[in-house]
């Protein structure tokens, strides 16, 4: 496990697990959302694909994302391990609701200095709505990739509950 993708739907705990694994395995951690969103009003990084290619050309890294479409194949081709947080909606939704509520109330700055806002809750792009609507499509995409012969060399660790993930992490 030297080039790891931590995948799952919004709110599964990808970033939290990736940080923990990075510390435990002495890997360089790359947060995809922070690389993608680089400025006010959710401005995106114009050199995102090139940056991700450069970062993942190294021999030891961890990324907390299925991958944005423009880098998804690159990430899956370069990884040696996928850790899939395949949690049900009943586990995901309370997490993403708490996180978004906290970020909104405290006006916490996130990627590119942006903030979640009360108005943002009305958008289909808001993390809560995104987690709800994209749960099944994301699971299907990850399952398709994990089953694809092209990615057969990848070691896939699939966890259906946070307790399973915690036990696996503790055993490392």
């Amino acid at each position: 496990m030297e080039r790891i993708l931590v995948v799952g739907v919004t709110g599964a705990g990808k970033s939290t697990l990736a940080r923990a694994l990075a510390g435990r395995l002495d890997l360089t951690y790359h947060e995809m959302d922070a690389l993608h969103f680089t400025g006010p009003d959710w401005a995106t990084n114009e050199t995102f694909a090139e940056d991700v290619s450069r970062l993942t050309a190294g021999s030891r890294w961890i990324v907390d994302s299925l991958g944005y479409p423009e880098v998804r194949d690159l990430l899956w081709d370069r990884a040696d391990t996928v850790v899939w947080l395949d949690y049900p909606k009943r586990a995901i939704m309370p997490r993403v609701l708490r996180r978004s509520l906290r970020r909104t109330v405290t006006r916490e700055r996130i990627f590119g200095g942006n903030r979640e806002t009360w108005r943002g809750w009305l958008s289909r792009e808001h993390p809560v709505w995104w987690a709800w609507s994209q749960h099944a499509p994301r699971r299907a995409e990850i399952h398709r990739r994990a089953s694809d012969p092209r990615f057969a060399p990848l070691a896939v660790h699939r966890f259906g509950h946070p307790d399973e993930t915690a036990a696996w992490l503790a055993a490392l």
Side-chain angles (χ1 to χ4, degrees), residues 7-64:
V7 302
V9 300
T10 299
K14 298 180 300 292
S15 299
T16 301
L17 179 61
R19 278 188 211 96
L21 280 170
R24 188 157 297 182
L25 301 174
D26 193 31
L27 298 172
T28 303
Y29 166 58
H30 303 288
E31 186 174 28
M32 278 293 108
D33 287 337
L35 291 168
H36 191 258
F37 297 108
T38 56
D41 298 321
W42 301 98
T44 56
N45 179 355
E46 293 180 9
T47 61
F48 176 66
E50 294 84 9
D51 292 349
V52 171
S53 180
R54 181 178 41 77
L55 295 170
T56 59
S59 61
R60 297 180 46 79
W61 48 263
I62 187 164
V63 169
D64 63 348

Side-chain angles (χ1 to χ4, degrees), residues 103 106-116:
R103 286 177 173 175
T106 65
R107 304 211 14 93
E108 177 182 336
R109 288 188 183 274
I110 55 175
F111 325 113
N114 293 288
R115 293 182 168 116
E116 289 188 37

Side-chain angles (χ1 to χ4, degrees), residues 1 4-8 14 17 21 62 81-86 155-159 165 168:
M1 291 195 315
I4 304 171
L5 292 178
V6 179
V7 302
K14 298 180 300 292
L17 179 61
L21 280 170
I62 187 164
T81 305
V82 171
V83 178
W84 180 7
L85 305 181
D86 187 20
V156 177
H157 302 276
R158 183 178 180 180
F159 303 107
T165 309
W168 174 78

Side-chain angles (χ1 to χ4, degrees), residues 95-114:
R95 288 174 171 214
V96 74
L97 280 163
R98 280 190 304 270
R99 181 183 72 187
S100 284
L101 186 59
R102 183 195 78 238
R103 286 177 173 175
T104 302
V105 168
T106 65
R107 304 211 14 93
E108 177 182 336
R109 288 188 183 274
I110 55 175
F111 325 113
N114 293 288

